[in-house]
Amino acid sequence: MTLQEKDSRYLWHPYTQHKTSQTPIAISRGEGALLWDENNKEYIDAIASWWVNPFGHSNKFIADAIYKQLTTLEHVLFGGFTHEPAIKVAEKLMEILPKNQQKIFFSDNGSTAVEVAIKVALQYFFNKGEKRTTIIAFENAFHGDTFAAMAASGISFYTQAFQGMFIDVVRIPVPVKGQEQVSFEALENVIQRNNCAGFIFEPLVQGAAGMVMYEPEALAKLIEICKENKVLTIADEVMTGFGKTGKTFAMDYVDADPDMICLSKALTGGTIPMAITTFTQKVFDAFYDDDINKALFHGHTFTANPTGCAAALASIDLLQTDEMQTNIERINKNHLEFQKKIESHPKVITARILGVIFAVEIKSDSKESYYGSMRTKLYNFFIENGVVLRPVGNIVYILPPYIMTNEQLQKVYKTIEEAIEMV
Ligand SMILES: *Cc1c(COP(=O)(O)O)cnc(C)c1O
């Protein structure tokens, strides 16, 4: 039996309708931007394995750091204990995060990072004795699949079975070009009509919505409105963090600082599941009290896992090398050239870029749904041609590992051009 055949006996895959989808491809090896399946077919990983892997597969530098940590202290509980790797991650993040961030809380994945942020926003006001229970989020947001994160998410595919079971969330339009004023007014209205605790947003790029982009000035204005109304702001940088937008964090473009930041995905270079939520001193102080009831009663068994911390430290070291910064600029330049070439194509609606993120919207006769027929056709074409890309409806995006070579990038572009001709 092949791995593919064995897989279907017991395994249940994420976001998968097993009756209609093809069996998953069994990957046996990865190196740099490349993956090989059990038949030794080669694939270019053009989406960094769901945006987690900026430095390439089987990275030796991170692997060595993990091995060293595993053979020194693999794990210790973080309740009542601490350790150097966690302290070092905190110190390192303080150097690179927006200056107002002062406290960091560990968890395991992007959804839990968001879950923590939303719970903190709600308990912040509970602790102050103020009734504020509504969370504000963007239309078509994606913040993860646990309950509070899902409540904040606006893509119906992920949430439709659970409507009516969520915390209170109200949605405002994304301030894409031309819609800024509408978005600002919506936020002001929402704040007037509800007891709002927090506003959660994906800064500058909505990943799962299909790399929808908006300007830093618009986000700064939305944050300012929240500040005037004492609504806590939560920047979900799970996708955008650690260089993807061309700066370390998307918030580095924005002339306003959030109260909380959620990090995961590229945090450990795609090696060990880990997430962090960061906070201002003001937020922390609302929990700091003689009364134990005001503490944050949230934790996960593997909180601040030392091995994960060692991977995070090695990853941030890699990100900060000149070589990696040059790579990010190089990929951005390549994207800009490809955009010029492709945006006038009769089948292209628009192409957009931020940092290493590239997205192209393809014309379609019908309104393409998230997992619609065009998406399936495109996806299969890419896989046949040895390129891992997961289109969102009629939107094809690239989010390559930073170490992807120019040659590999050109192959990805060429395959996308062929796909556009094909559909
Ligand atoms: C992926 C993602 C999440 C959820 O992260 P998981 O690790 O999949 O739980 C949350 N927010 C954003 C912006 C994401 O892209």
Side-chain angles (χ1 to χ4, degrees):
M1 263 209 281
T2 62
L3 290 176
Q4 252 184 341
E5 285 155 358
K6 286 186 187 170
D7 174 277
S8 60
R9 282 176 67 185
Y10 299 121
L11 290 166
W12 193 342
H13 287 260
Y15 310 121
T16 301
Q17 174 47 270
H18 280 274
K19 185 163 185 191
T20 55
S21 66
Q22 285 136 311
T23 44
I25 299 156
I27 296 296
S28 42
R29 194 158 66 83
E31 195 184 319
L34 297 177
L35 295 165
W36 288 271
D37 71 13
E38 60 181 328
N39 305 313
N40 221 25
K41 179 175 171 179
E42 186 179 288
Y43 301 84
I44 300 177
D45 185 356
I47 55 166
S49 280
W50 268 343
W51 324 338
V52 299
N53 192 310
F55 316 118
H57 291 284
S58 311
N59 184 287
K60 291 278 179 295
F61 182 75
I62 304 175
D64 285 346
I66 289 173
Y67 181 79
K68 209 167 147 219
Q69 189 58 48
L70 273 175
T71 48
T72 309
L73 174 68
E74 84 303 340
H75 184 67
V76 64
L77 68 166
F78 209 57
F81 293 87
T82 190
H83 49 77
E84 192 174 26
I87 292 164
K88 279 189 167 166
V89 168
E91 287 173 348
K92 191 80 195 173
L93 284 176
M94 288 307 132
E95 284 171 27
I96 61 175
L97 279 168
K99 285 290 160 271
N100 71 337
Q101 299 300 303
Q102 287 295 316
K103 296 283 169 191
I104 86 165
F105 189 93
F106 284 95
S107 63
D108 306 329
N109 57 67
S111 303
T112 55
V114 167
E115 207 74 20
V116 168
I118 290 177
K119 283 176 70 175
V120 164
L122 296 173
Q123 194 182 337
Y124 174 91
F125 290 105
F126 177 85
N127 282 0
K128 286 176 173 292
E130 235 182 283
K131 192 185 164 345
R132 291 200 188 215
T133 53
T134 299
I135 299 293
I136 308 162
F138 278 139
E139 285 164 5
N140 288 321
F142 182 76
H143 296 292
D145 292 338
T146 54
F147 249 82
M150 189 168 54
S153 297
I155 299 170
S156 61
F157 252 105
Y158 299 115
T159 62
Q160 60 194 1
F162 312 100
Q163 290 304 326
M165 302 173 216
F166 291 139
I167 56 164
D168 291 337
V169 172
V170 282
R171 258 168 239 298
I172 62 168
V174 184
V176 290
K177 262 206 183 70
Q179 291 300 303
E180 292 94 339
Q181 208 55 40
V182 179
S183 181
F184 303 156
E185 282 165 20
L187 179 61
E188 274 168 349
N189 274 332
V190 158
I191 291 175
Q192 266 171 28
R193 293 202 186 130
N194 302 274
N195 297 316
C196 294
F199 168 41
I200 185 165
F201 52 86
E202 296 158 272
L204 309 192
V205 190
Q206 289 188 299
M211 304 298 159
V212 171
M213 297 181 188
Y214 61 98
E215 296 297 316
E217 292 74 23
L219 181 54
K221 172 79 182 164
L222 292 171
I223 292 174
E224 197 185 300
I225 294 171
C226 286
K227 283 213 154 75
E228 283 165 11
N229 293 281
K230 299 194 164 53
V231 173
L232 296 173
T233 51
I234 305 165
D236 179 355
E237 292 244 18
V238 169
M239 188 280 283
T240 48
F242 303 104
K244 307 224 185 76
T245 62
K247 297 202 182 207
T248 305
F249 300 106
M251 288 310 296
D252 295 341
Y253 287 96
V254 182
D255 207 7
D257 290 333
D259 295 295
M260 308 180 219
I261 299 178
C262 305
L263 304 170
S264 188
K265 292 210 163 108
L267 172 63
T268 61
T271 57
I272 292 181
M274 173 165 268
I276 288 173
T277 315
T278 75
F279 306 95
T280 59
Q281 188 68 40
K282 176 186 87 176
V283 172
F284 179 81
D285 286 347
F287 293 73
Y288 190 79
D289 200 277
D290 290 323
D291 182 359
I292 190 169
N293 292 302
K294 291 200 172 168
L296 177 63
F297 281 99
H298 186 104
H300 298 280
T301 313
F302 276 94
T303 291
N305 171 252
T307 312
C309 289
L313 284 168
S315 298
I316 299 170
D317 278 351
L318 283 178
L319 178 66
Q320 290 184 313
T321 58
D322 290 342
E323 188 194 340
M324 213 53 76
Q325 293 300 317
T326 310
N327 275 333
I328 292 171
E329 284 164 32
R330 172 181 60 81
I331 289 173
N332 180 260
K333 280 209 189 94
N334 276 284
H335 281 350
L336 287 166
E337 269 170 43
F338 182 50
Q339 180 190 35
K340 249 189 251 156
K341 185 169 172 203
I342 205 172
E343 67 189 351
S344 54
H345 191 288
K347 283 190 182 169
V348 167
I349 301 169
T350 171
R352 51 182 174 263
I353 297 170
L354 186 65
V356 305
I357 305 168
F358 173 94
V360 54
E361 267 181 57
I362 304 170
K363 272 186 195 150
S364 158
D365 298 335
S366 56
K367 185 155 170 32
E368 282 301 323
S369 78
Y370 212 77
Y371 286 107
S373 63
M374 183 190 254
R375 190 260 177 203
T376 308
K377 231 192 238 172
L378 286 166
Y379 178 77
N380 292 342
F381 182 82
F382 294 135
I383 291 297
E384 264 165 43
N385 285 280
V387 179
V388 180
L389 286 167
R390 285 176 64 96
V392 174
N394 61 328
I395 300 166
V396 176
Y397 72 84
I398 317 172
L399 207 169
Y402 309 156
I403 48 75
M404 184 175 282
T405 64
N406 286 344
E407 221 183 350
Q408 289 163 343
L409 259 180
Q410 292 307 323
K411 158 113 201 250
V412 174
Y413 296 150
K414 190 166 152 276
T415 311
I416 291 176
E417 284 186 273
E418 289 167 1
I420 291 172
E421 290 303 334
M422 183 262 317
V423 291

